[in-house]
Amino acid sequence: MMKPKLLISACLCGKNTKYNGKNNLIPQIEQLERLYDFVLICPEVMGGLPIPRDPSEIKGDLVLSKTGTDVTQNFILGAQKALELVKKHQVQVALLKESSPSCGVHMIYNGNFNGEKISGSGITTQVLKENGVKVYSEDEIHLLLNQNS
Ligand code: SF4
């Protein structure tokens, strides 16, 4: 039986792609890998940003780094590349890192770098949702695990 594809944030798989050079490995990764074929993305790296990098937050129509650099175009490019992978691999479901300015699903930081969150989605998540991809956060993994049990 062919496994369904799952677009997944690379940092959730243990790849050190975070702004600080670390990862967000989730404990259920092996369980998920038995059920899905992973398509890894890190939109910020795919958009040309280095590791490590300054953290960024969405502020209005822009994405700004903590030092004030406008990285909006990097984030848009990363989202476009993620969408290309979705189309190439015919992905319908994604598991992305909550609260990231790229990958956030239900929450993002408020743009003031004060640790406060507001409801909203990251740039890549917005593009994927607009294109019909069902996007889950790591807080909703149980839904992905139950679907195939
Ligand atoms: Fe993880 Fe997404 Fe940030 Fe890349 S852009 S480090 S995949 S949350």
Side-chain angles (χ1 to χ4, degrees):
M1 270 270 288
M2 280 236 316
K3 293 188 273 187
K5 305 270 186 191
L6 181 69
L7 193 79
I8 184 164
S9 293
C11 59
L12 293 178
C13 300
K15 304 288 182 200
N16 293 329
T17 52
K18 277 183 70 172
Y19 72 91
N20 60 5
K22 296 184 177 167
N23 65 68
N24 300 305
L25 178 64
I26 47 173
Q28 304 94 331
I29 202 73
E30 286 175 10
Q31 216 179 335
L32 269 176
E33 208 167 12
R34 281 198 285 274
L35 298 172
Y36 296 92
D37 265 339
F38 290 171
V39 178
L40 266 62
I41 57 165
C42 177
E44 292 174 28
V45 172
M46 288 155 63
L49 294 172
I51 307 168
R53 56 191 173 276
D54 289 331
S56 300
E57 295 190 6
I58 297 174
K59 182 92 174 172
D61 288 336
L62 299 177
V63 188
L64 301 175
S65 81
K66 195 170 185 178
T67 52
T69 306
D70 184 345
V71 288
T72 311
Q73 290 310 316
N74 297 97
F75 275 66
I76 291 173
L77 179 62
Q80 287 170 344
K81 290 193 171 177
L83 183 60
E84 280 170 20
L85 285 174
V86 159
K87 292 185 171 164
K88 180 177 169 196
H89 296 284
Q90 299 184 315
V91 182
Q92 294 175 336
V93 186
L95 174 63
L96 301 185
K97 176 74 186 81
E98 190 59 283
S99 306
S100 150
S102 292
C103 296
V105 181
H106 305 291
M107 304 292 290
I108 51 171
Y109 288 95
N110 69 2
N112 296 322
F113 296 94
N114 61 6
E116 286 179 19
K117 296 178 189 177
I118 54 174
S119 73
S121 300
I123 304 293
T124 291
T125 302
Q126 289 174 26
V127 168
L128 297 179
K129 284 180 177 173
E130 284 163 15
N131 282 273
V133 179
K134 177 77 185 144
V135 187
Y136 297 92
S137 79
E138 72 274 23
D139 301 325
E140 300 168 308
I141 291 178
H142 59 284
L143 298 174
L144 286 169
L145 294 173
N146 291 344
Q147 274 185 4
N148 284 271
S149 61

